[in-house]
Structure formats: structure tokens, C-alpha cells
Amino acid sequence: MNVKIIATRSCTHRPNLERELQDLDVKYDVVYVEENQDVVSKYAIRHSPSLVIDDEVVCRGQPSETELKALFLTHG
């Protein structure tokens, strides 16, 4: 499973999302839009953070803990 957090450097929700993914023992990469403008077009990013699993945007904005657990049970 390939998991990416796509966020701006100033996103205040990204650190929380990272902690929640770490608590779920999910490996992920952070992709900052400032250095990767191509991801903005590729995934039609309009919110930060966005969560991408296996090349599909599964969440735009900060997901709840319950949403994250459900996502990783489904994609697990």
C-alpha cells in the first residue's frame, strides 16, 4: 500500500494526521505542494492535507480518527 499525505508546509493539520497514521502503524510519505506542483494538477488538490492511497485521493482535509481506521481496514 502506498500512502501519501499531500500538504502545504504551513498546514496545521498535517502533524496531527501524521501522528494518527503513526498510531495506526501506517507507513506514509509527505509530499509538499510547494516543491511538487505536479501533484496539485494530478490529484486536483484544493485542500490541505489530502490523503492519497494507492494513487487515489481518499480524503480531502483532515479525516477523523474513525474515518482513518475505516480507510485502513478497507485498504489494509
Side-chain angles (χ1 to χ4, degrees), residues 1-7 13-32 49-54 68 72:
M1 178 180 350
N2 185 316
V3 179
K4 294 178 188 151
I5 297 173
I6 300 175
H13 299 290
R14 179 195 44 79
N16 184 50
L17 179 54
E18 286 192 67
R19 275 191 301 280
E20 290 181 9
L21 290 177
Q22 290 165 3
D23 288 347
L24 292 170
D25 200 32
V26 173
K27 305 274 188 256
Y28 63 90
D29 292 309
V30 177
V31 178
Y32 293 107
S50 291
L51 188 62
V52 176
I53 300 175
D54 294 333
L68 281 174
F72 288 102

Side-chain angles (χ1 to χ4, degrees), residues 8-71:
T8 61
R9 287 208 173 269
S10 61
C11 178
T12 58
H13 299 290
R14 179 195 44 79
N16 184 50
L17 179 54
E18 286 192 67
R19 275 191 301 280
E20 290 181 9
L21 290 177
Q22 290 165 3
D23 288 347
L24 292 170
D25 200 32
V26 173
K27 305 274 188 256
Y28 63 90
D29 292 309
V30 177
V31 178
Y32 293 107
V33 297
E34 291 88 347
E35 288 90 29
N36 298 280
Q37 287 293 310
D38 57 318
V39 299
V40 174
S41 298
K42 180 177 181 178
Y43 298 111
I45 299 298
R46 298 184 67 118
H47 301 281
S48 180
S50 291
L51 188 62
V52 176
I53 300 175
D54 294 333
D55 218 31
E56 175 188 351
V57 178
V58 295
C59 195
R60 296 179 188 275
Q62 174 69 40
S64 70
E65 184 177 340
T66 302
E67 290 172 314
L68 281 174
K69 287 179 180 177
L71 278 170

